[in-house]
Amino acid sequence: MLARVEPVTLDQIRAARKLLDPVMRRTPVIASRALSERCGHVVSLKCENLQRTGSFKPRGAYNRIANLSVAERACGVVAASAGNHAQGVAWAATELGIPSTVFMPTGAPLPKLVATKAYGATVHLTGDTVDDALVAAKEFANETGAVLIHPFDHVDIVAGQGTVGLEILEQEPDVGTLVVPTGGGGLIAGIAAAVKATRPDVRIVGVQAEQAAAWPRSLAEGRPIPLETMSTMADGIAVGRPGNVPFAHVGSQVDAIVTVSEDALSRALLLCLERAKLIVEPAGAAAVAALISCSTDELGLTGKVCAVLSGGNIDPLLLTHVVNHGLRAAGRYLGVHVTIPDRPGGLVSLLGVISGNGASVVDVVHSRTGGALALDEVEVFLTVETRGPGHRQDLLDALRDAQYTIRLQE
């Protein structure tokens, strides 16, 4: 049985708003014609990727740290994170003149490590996972008296994140549906508490990566249930166990939780980059992923839709990888092995079929060592840029019609 947790109130969120107004950005809400056309509803994007430190996290972190007593502040604060929470805590603590220590896993992305240090935190690398870092952070708190700033499971954190909901209601007063990336639950719980208090008719939908989805089973069993394994590019919402404080709100105020695939996440990131000109991390694009991959009935969309872009902190190397993944998932890249005659003009003929169908070759690799190749054959691996799934299929049909033996990249 889950212990009784007092819900976060609208007054607490309004108090957080008053505290945050002088230091936090009021992030824009922008229209998305591309998503509106896909969904059949007017869709806008709440751009928390443009918030200080690149995500919504400083809202909760600042509210939590600012509410510490003088005695609590004296020993500083400590956190465990691989990215956005680390930066939010470091920035907020520095703004308030409080020392901060952050434990990060040894594999934390270099840009996030550098940024956390730049915001003023003392950083320690330990363990392979955030859970390992959290153990070290708790030990540090016990030894030094530093206050542990949890990323989502505290009333002040949830109240701070709830200010996103207040802003959306002011910026989009006739919104009908909110779609929110969901990990530990701090953001969606805060938004739900803020919105449902005055607009209970607004539908709120949480989105999880299907390979890191702790909420569906937890809600079904009525208590937070930890996942045994997780594997997703959306590290910002890869949380193994929902928080107790968020659980109290999500169970009663969130209308649905849906999951999205890795392909959908990469396609969503690509859409944000191409059509909205916004850099968004995979977790931050989860709401967009739901809008492009889930059916309208599954989402239950009603009225105007606002999707929250929760963060934009992405390693440039990962961005390159995810964009390429998104292009493949959207049918814009084709990787295909083609067997051709090993004689002069063989490759020219193949490339003629490609160009004749309006496709562009990105890369060509030859191999004469495949076990299934005859003595007079060579295998060519082509990476081809296409205009979408239909064009991709037309090109494959043209290669088959030209009597080529083809094998798609696995």
Side-chain angles (χ1 to χ4, degrees):
M1 180 68 68
L2 184 66
R4 169 68 178 171
V5 176
E6 289 299 320
V8 176
T9 67
L10 182 59
D11 285 344
Q12 288 172 311
I13 297 172
R14 286 172 172 164
R17 170 71 176 273
K18 185 176 180 179
L19 192 64
L20 295 174
D21 269 347
V23 297
M24 208 60 53
R25 291 173 182 156
R26 181 184 172 94
T27 54
V29 171
I30 64 172
S32 173
R33 186 173 69 176
L35 287 171
S36 298
E37 292 173 350
R38 286 173 180 260
C39 299
H41 291 257
V42 175
V43 177
S44 59
L45 306 172
K46 175 62 169 171
C47 300
E48 283 297 288
N49 58 311
L50 302 180
Q51 186 52 266
R52 290 185 182 275
T53 79
S55 83
F56 70 94
K57 287 291 189 178
R59 294 176 182 266
Y62 190 95
N63 190 52
R64 171 79 171 99
I65 297 171
N67 280 304
L68 295 177
S69 67
V70 174
E72 289 173 321
R73 293 186 182 203
C75 294
V77 297
V78 61
S81 168
N84 292 343
H85 180 58
Q87 294 172 72
V89 168
W91 172 83
T94 299
E95 281 286 308
L96 292 162
I98 300 170
S100 62
T101 301
V102 176
F103 288 84
M104 304 180 78
T106 55
L110 181 61
K112 294 183 178 181
L113 171 63
V114 171
T116 302
K117 290 181 178 179
Y119 287 125
T122 299
V123 176
H124 298 284
L125 297 177
T126 181
D128 297 323
T129 67
V130 175
D131 287 338
D132 295 334
L134 182 59
V135 171
K138 288 178 177 177
E139 291 176 352
F140 181 87
N142 292 333
E143 293 169 0
T144 66
V147 178
L148 179 67
I149 307 299
H150 197 281
F152 51 83
D153 206 10
H154 191 279
V155 169
D156 288 340
I157 295 288
V158 173
Q161 320 304 26
T163 60
V164 176
L166 295 183
E167 288 182 15
I168 292 173
L169 289 181
E170 293 167 359
Q171 294 166 307
E172 295 282 308
D174 54 349
V175 67
T177 306
L178 293 175
V179 189
V180 186
T182 305
L187 178 60
I188 194 170
I191 289 175
V195 171
K196 292 289 189 177
T198 57
R199 287 284 311 281
D201 59 302
V202 174
R203 181 172 174 81
I204 298 178
V205 180
V207 185
Q208 292 213 280
E210 64 183 20
Q211 296 183 43
W215 279 98
R217 182 185 171 193
S218 295
L219 290 171
E221 298 198 17
R223 60 188 176 89
I225 303 293
L227 291 174
E228 294 182 1
T229 60
M230 294 183 293
S231 177
T232 177
M233 70 176 74
D235 60 331
I237 54 174
V239 177
R241 182 188 183 279
N244 292 338
V245 174
F247 195 89
H249 290 276
V250 175
S252 61
Q253 296 178 323
V254 172
D255 298 284
I257 298 285
V258 300
T259 62
V260 292
S261 68
E262 299 297 287
D263 278 358
L265 288 166
S266 59
R267 287 165 48 210
L269 187 150
L270 181 62
L271 186 147
C272 289
L273 188 62
E274 267 193 318
R275 301 300 299 272
K277 315 308 176 190
L278 293 168
I279 295 177
V280 184
E281 63 190 274
V288 174
L291 292 176
I292 65 175
S293 66
C294 299
S295 68
T296 301
D297 289 341
E298 184 181 3
L299 294 171
L301 300 180
T302 180
K304 291 185 177 180
V305 177
C306 183
V308 178
L309 304 180
S310 58
N313 292 316
I314 183 168
D315 186 323
L317 293 175
L318 177 61
L319 177 61
T320 300
H321 173 72
V322 175
V323 166
N324 287 335
H325 189 274
L327 288 168
R328 290 194 299 272
R332 303 265 298 279
Y333 266 174
L334 169 64
V336 60
H337 299 264
V338 185
T339 301
I340 64 174
D342 189 12
R343 62 172 181 262
L347 180 59
V348 172
S349 297
L350 171 62
L351 296 180
V353 175
I354 302 294
S355 63
N357 282 270
S360 299
V361 176
V362 178
D363 196 18
V364 180
V365 179
H366 290 77
S367 173
R368 290 183 171 85
T369 59
L373 292 175
L375 188 62
D376 60 348
E377 291 179 334
V378 62
E379 184 177 75
V380 177
F381 175 69
L382 297 172
T383 303
V384 181
E385 184 179 354
T386 61
R387 295 190 296 272
H391 186 212
R392 180 179 184 272
Q393 188 57 52
D394 289 344
L395 180 58
L396 291 173
D397 291 342
L399 290 170
R400 292 188 179 100
D401 290 344
Q403 305 301 308
Y404 286 111
T405 301
I406 64 175
R407 177 169 56 89
L408 296 181
Q409 182 185 32
E410 296 179 357

